[in-house]
Amino acid sequence: MLKTKAIFLENIEDYDNLDEKFLQDKNNLIFSFNIDVYNFLKNKKHNFEIADEHLTQDDHSKIYQYAISFYDWYKKNSFLETMEFEGTNLLGLFDTAELHHLLIREIYRFITLKRILNKFSFTEIFANHNLSIMINSIKKNEYNIIEIQNTSHDFSIPFEKYSLPLSILGHEIPFTISRNMYKKIKSTIESFICKASNLWFNPNNSKKSILFLEFNFEQYLDLFKNLKSDKNIILINLRRPAFTNFNSLKMLKDLNCSIITPDYFLSSSEKKLVTKYTKKYLINLEKLWEEQSLLSKIFTIENCSIWDIIKDILLQTYQLRLEDYVKLVLFSKKLSTSINLSCIISLNNIGETEKAILNQNEKIPSILLEHGFTNYVPELSQFDISSMYPTFQDKIALWGNIQKKYLMDQHSTPEEKILTVGSPRHDIFFKNTTSNNTSRKTVLITPGQFDEPNAVYDTNSFIKYELLFQKLFSILKQIPNVSIIIKLHPSQQKNNLYFKKIIQKIDSDITIKQSTPIIDEIQSCDLLINIFPEIFPSTVLLEGLILKKPVMNISLYDRSYNFEFEKDESVLSIRDTDDLETNLKKILFDNKFQSTLIQNGTKYVNHYLSNPGHASEELARVLNSY
């Protein structure tokens, strides 16, 4: 019998707001839009389709490209220049990574729906408010849409909330607060401690200054130790405090580092200007949002506009942050005119802090420091925009010659623009290699960052992940004297919570960690198992090789990229469908094989990283020369 009604379920709440008999009707076609709904419907024993199975591999690539095509949306029409302030368009200060997260989730849903609607014919569609807007954007007035009432939609804007893990009786408990509350708490603590410890930068100091933007001070401690004392070392940390404990506070003082924030640096009259200009640009913003046809045209994909989907959340976010952006611009301008800056160094040029300061200080020499393991290859070149190397105007400090060759070959980056300094954050790893001699073996499992930005994963990826965990735990539990530790990615991504749930469901005795230092976990393990869920290997894989541990890299995808670490046979790379038990026992108990892997791993590390163990000295030499 022809199925004429569709039920699109984006979350479990959608299901709860529909009649059970209607849902049981076999003539209605149910679509699940995420792993939570999939599991829920499966437990309910419903017949249903997985929505994103209607996407092709090419669609996943298109979704990513569509998202990045809107990075500079605020430059697409001269009318958008009404939001320019002191040479900076306030709309463009929205953190690019956050904008990408927001867009990629909505575009993923949008293209999934578009493919389904092009494939099926429905007389009625039941969907929540968010999906209803999408359907109308794709096929305006072609369907009788019954909107599922009283359901919410979770837009992805990572820095609207901050997750602060608390450790209670050995268990890490996530504690989430709003961006606004986080800012207030951070500002209060900084104000008190910086004043008491004399950490605020003295504006009357006329010495040359090196400005560090959003650096993790503890992670780059060796770099700060190697900088000469004839320059001021200034840290601007608006997202994360420069100090997080007594030790980091003590080292900041011992190394004569200074801290600047807008609240400290701007005078009371300048703060009044912030209020004045914020009111002006809020009016401009509201007028701009009245230009619906203009904005709808800008945000068009495959002849359909996604503007109606994102317009409200985007407006709300700008309204909440506009005062911060105005303050950032005035703060950045004052930095450029009142401090003798010799160099600015950042880890990216897409964050709010970095965009504002680099834009107002274009004449000051700047360095973009590579901060994560990427190992780009030509087949993945479309994804290297996330590092923003091709768009950065000044010097780029890379970890080694492999990435240098990639940039020169793939993007024709001038050689004089590239500094191959190595990885300063990993110098400490070269001083802490250890070997375990106990009979009991510790296996450290590191699930890679399983998040939305690359538009690679789908519902089946989650299913494969859970099956892999089940197989891994089952095999390892049968081997005597083996302990299992799971180290989740330290980011705020929501899928960490999902991983915790499925791990605890499979085996509640397994230790799960997230905020502990990765170096401590790798040092104490005998085998590192890195799960490779997306397209790039994680930094933890490289860290395992530096610390001379045998590494197994398990890929959830059949696609193979010619990464250098695989060509050098420095890790045991397998797929989730391979003989897991045989490979596990081989890497755990074959000493000769372990030794060969470690030797190859050391060769690879020396090949990939310039100045291994001494990168801080090299980068400090460069910074001291400015």
Side-chain angles (χ1 to χ4, degrees):
M1 184 176 180
L2 183 65
K3 297 184 178 183
T4 58
K5 295 179 182 178
I7 304 168
F8 294 143
L9 301 178
E10 189 182 19
N11 52 57
I12 295 169
E13 191 180 13
D14 294 345
Y15 181 98
D16 293 336
N17 284 288
L18 289 171
D19 182 79
E20 185 70 29
K21 287 184 180 179
F22 176 71
L23 288 160
Q24 295 291 348
D25 188 337
K26 293 182 180 179
N27 293 320
N28 300 329
L29 191 55
I30 302 174
F31 292 86
S32 70
F33 276 78
N34 59 43
I35 186 62
D36 291 325
V37 175
Y38 167 88
N39 286 329
F40 181 82
L41 293 174
K42 188 179 177 184
N43 290 335
K44 288 276 187 179
K45 295 183 169 51
H46 277 290
N47 291 319
F48 64 96
E49 293 207 18
I50 300 172
D52 56 26
E53 283 189 337
H54 294 279
L55 295 173
T56 65
Q57 186 172 322
D58 188 49
D59 285 330
H60 286 276
S61 179
K62 286 179 179 178
I63 290 165
Y64 179 82
Q65 290 297 327
Y66 293 149
I68 66 174
S69 71
F70 296 122
Y71 281 4
D72 61 351
W73 71 273
Y74 56 92
K75 297 179 181 178
K76 298 287 177 73
N77 189 285
S78 59
F79 189 66
L80 297 165
E81 293 172 6
T82 57
M83 294 303 293
E84 284 193 0
F85 174 53
E86 297 288 354
T88 296
N89 193 311
L90 298 173
L91 298 173
L93 288 186
F94 190 12
D95 186 300
T96 305
E98 284 191 284
L99 177 63
H100 186 90
H101 272 84
L102 169 62
L103 291 171
I104 204 88
R105 180 179 293 180
E106 304 312 313
I107 294 172
Y108 192 100
R109 292 276 191 275
F110 185 81
I111 296 299
T112 301
L113 271 172
K114 196 168 189 289
R115 299 298 181 258
I116 293 171
L117 295 176
N118 287 338
K119 187 174 182 180
F120 296 91
S121 294
F122 304 115
T123 56
E124 281 187 340
I125 295 176
F126 291 76
N128 65 24
H129 180 67
N130 184 65
L131 295 183
S132 297
I133 294 173
M134 291 187 181
I135 295 165
N136 275 322
S137 295
I138 298 165
K139 303 270 189 179
K140 195 166 186 69
N141 300 324
E142 286 191 27
Y143 294 104
N144 179 26
I145 302 173
I146 312 298
E147 192 169 306
I148 303 171
Q149 298 298 316
N150 303 317
T151 65
S152 59
H153 177 67
D154 178 27
F155 288 101
S156 178
I157 306 181
F159 298 139
E160 264 315 305
K161 293 180 181 178
Y162 283 79
S163 181
L164 307 173
L166 299 177
S167 183
I168 300 176
L169 299 176
H171 296 281
E172 293 183 2
I173 301 173
F175 174 64
T176 303
I177 60 174
S178 69
R179 172 187 172 106
N180 194 43
M181 181 57 69
Y182 175 81
K183 280 167 45 190
K184 288 178 180 178
I185 294 172
K186 178 178 176 291
S187 178
T188 301
I189 293 172
E190 280 179 334
S191 179
F192 175 76
I193 292 181
C194 288
K195 185 176 181 180
S197 303
N198 197 29
L199 282 173
W200 288 129
F201 176 72
N202 182 357
N204 296 320
N205 189 322
S206 60
K207 284 198 309 183
K208 284 188 175 182
S209 300
I210 303 173
L211 193 60
F212 287 84
L213 304 183
E214 302 290 1
F215 267 68
N216 182 328
F217 177 76
E218 292 174 278
Q219 202 170 65
Y220 290 90
L221 188 57
D222 279 0
L223 171 61
F224 290 104
K225 287 180 178 178
N226 279 280
L227 294 171
K228 287 183 180 178
S229 59
D230 64 344
K231 290 188 177 69
N232 298 314
I233 309 302
I234 305 174
L235 290 93
I236 295 180
N237 287 61
L238 306 187
R239 293 192 290 271
R240 182 184 187 276
F243 51 85
T244 56
N245 52 43
F246 177 77
N247 287 334
S248 57
L249 180 61
K250 182 177 183 301
M251 289 307 302
L252 278 166
K253 291 177 62 178
D254 290 347
L255 295 174
N256 294 315
C257 297
S258 299
I259 292 172
I260 301 182
T261 66
D263 288 337
Y264 157 75
F265 200 56
L266 294 177
S267 66
S268 56
S269 60
E270 288 165 333
K271 289 175 184 176
K272 287 179 181 177
L273 282 177
V274 170
T275 302
K276 173 187 172 183
Y277 285 120
T278 299
K279 289 178 180 177
K280 172 188 172 182
Y281 284 99
L282 278 171
I283 293 170
N284 288 0
L285 183 69
E286 289 169 5
K287 287 181 180 177
L288 177 59
W289 246 247
E290 291 172 2
E291 300 294 322
Q292 291 297 300
S293 59
L294 165 66
L295 295 167
S296 182
K297 186 177 180 181
I298 289 173
F299 285 94
T300 295
I301 295 172
E302 298 183 0
N303 299 316
C304 300
S305 178
I306 63 167
W307 177 244
D308 284 343
I309 303 158
I310 62 171
K311 64 181 182 182
D312 291 339
I313 188 64
L314 208 53
L315 176 61
Q316 177 187 327
T317 304
Y318 278 123
Q319 286 172 330
L320 289 171
R321 298 190 185 183
L322 206 56
E323 183 175 0
D324 289 346
Y325 293 171
V326 170
K327 187 187 293 184
L328 252 178
V329 171
L330 287 177
F331 170 63
S332 302
K333 184 179 180 182
K334 187 173 182 179
L335 285 174
S336 65
T337 57
S338 60
I339 298 178
N340 184 11
L341 295 176
S342 64
C343 181
I344 302 172
I345 181 164
S346 64
L347 301 171
N348 70 71
N349 65 333
I350 62 174
E352 295 168 347
T353 309
E354 294 84 355
K355 284 182 178 182
I357 292 175
L358 291 171
N359 190 59
Q360 289 291 323
N361 291 271
E362 289 181 334
K363 295 181 181 179
I364 307 295
S366 57
I367 295 174
L368 178 64
L369 174 61
E370 182 179 354
H371 66 283
F373 181 50
T374 48
N375 205 165
Y376 288 125
V377 291
E379 308 96 289
L380 297 172
S381 60
Q382 67 165 324
F383 297 104
D384 67 21
I385 187 67
S386 61
S387 295
M388 305 303 285
Y389 297 145
T391 64
F392 195 71
Q393 299 301 310
D394 213 332
K395 302 286 187 181
I396 303 169
L398 298 176
W399 285 6
N401 288 317
I402 290 176
Q403 292 305 84
K404 175 181 177 180
K405 184 177 185 305
Y406 171 82
L407 282 185
M408 292 177 66
D409 291 349
Q410 202 67 29
H411 293 288
S412 300
T413 305
E415 186 171 8
E416 61 270 17
K417 185 178 174 179
I418 301 173
L419 306 168
T420 49
V421 298
S423 174
R425 62 179 276 196
H426 287 113
D427 285 344
I428 190 173
F429 283 72
F430 289 93
K431 301 167 187 174
N432 285 277
T433 54
T434 59
S435 58
N436 299 333
N437 297 311
T438 60
S439 58
R440 188 167 188 83
K441 293 186 178 291
T442 299
V443 176
L444 177 65
I445 301 175
T446 55
Q449 188 169 7
F450 200 50
D451 210 354
E452 295 163 309
N454 295 322
V456 173
Y457 76 51
D458 53 19
T459 299
N460 280 309
S461 300
F462 284 93
I463 297 169
K464 291 175 75 173
Y465 230 123
E466 183 166 356
L467 289 172
L468 177 58
F469 277 137
Q470 288 173 349
K471 286 197 291 184
L472 268 175
F473 300 160
S474 176
I475 294 167
L476 290 171
K477 285 288 185 177
Q478 293 175 31
I479 302 174
N481 298 317
V482 168
S483 300
I484 305 171
I485 294 176
I486 305 289
K487 177 68 167 68
L488 297 177
H489 194 277
S491 71
Q492 299 183 55
Q493 57 167 306
K494 68 169 187 174
N495 291 328
N496 275 331
L497 293 175
Y498 179 79
F499 285 149
K500 286 181 181 179
K501 286 179 183 177
I502 63 172
I503 291 166
Q504 289 167 347
K505 183 180 75 172
I506 298 168
D507 191 335
S508 59
D509 293 330
I510 289 177
T511 302
I512 303 173
K513 299 183 179 182
Q514 184 174 0
S515 59
T516 55
I518 187 63
I519 188 171
D520 295 343
E521 302 302 339
I522 299 176
Q523 278 182 311
S524 60
C525 81
D526 298 278
L527 168 64
L528 172 62
I529 299 177
N530 182 62
I531 301 176
F532 188 18
E534 288 204 34
I535 50 176
F536 293 116
S538 64
T539 304
V540 72
L541 182 148
L542 178 66
E543 291 165 342
L545 299 180
I546 296 173
L547 291 169
K548 302 184 186 301
K549 301 293 180 178
V551 177
M552 175 186 280
N553 193 47
I554 305 177
S555 175
L556 293 180
Y557 294 99
D558 294 332
R559 297 185 297 277
S560 179
Y561 303 109
N562 206 17
F563 293 120
E564 294 286 338
F565 62 84
E566 292 181 328
K567 287 194 288 185
D568 291 349
E569 298 182 341
S570 58
V571 304
L572 173 59
S573 282
I574 66 171
R575 293 195 172 96
D576 63 312
T577 52
D578 290 339
D579 186 340
L580 191 57
E581 183 171 1
T582 299
N583 282 295
L584 271 172
K585 288 181 177 177
K586 181 179 182 180
I587 198 170
L588 268 172
F589 301 112
D590 187 332
N591 293 332
K592 184 177 179 181
F593 180 65
Q594 277 191 13
S595 179
T596 300
L597 277 181
I598 291 169
Q599 288 175 21
N600 291 345
T602 301
K603 288 178 184 176
Y604 170 75
V605 167
N606 291 328
H607 180 44
Y608 186 82
L609 293 177
S610 296
N611 305 302
H614 302 282
S616 293
E617 297 169 29
E618 177 59 21
L619 181 55
R621 182 190 66 76
V622 173
L623 294 174
N624 288 330
S625 68
Y626 280 96

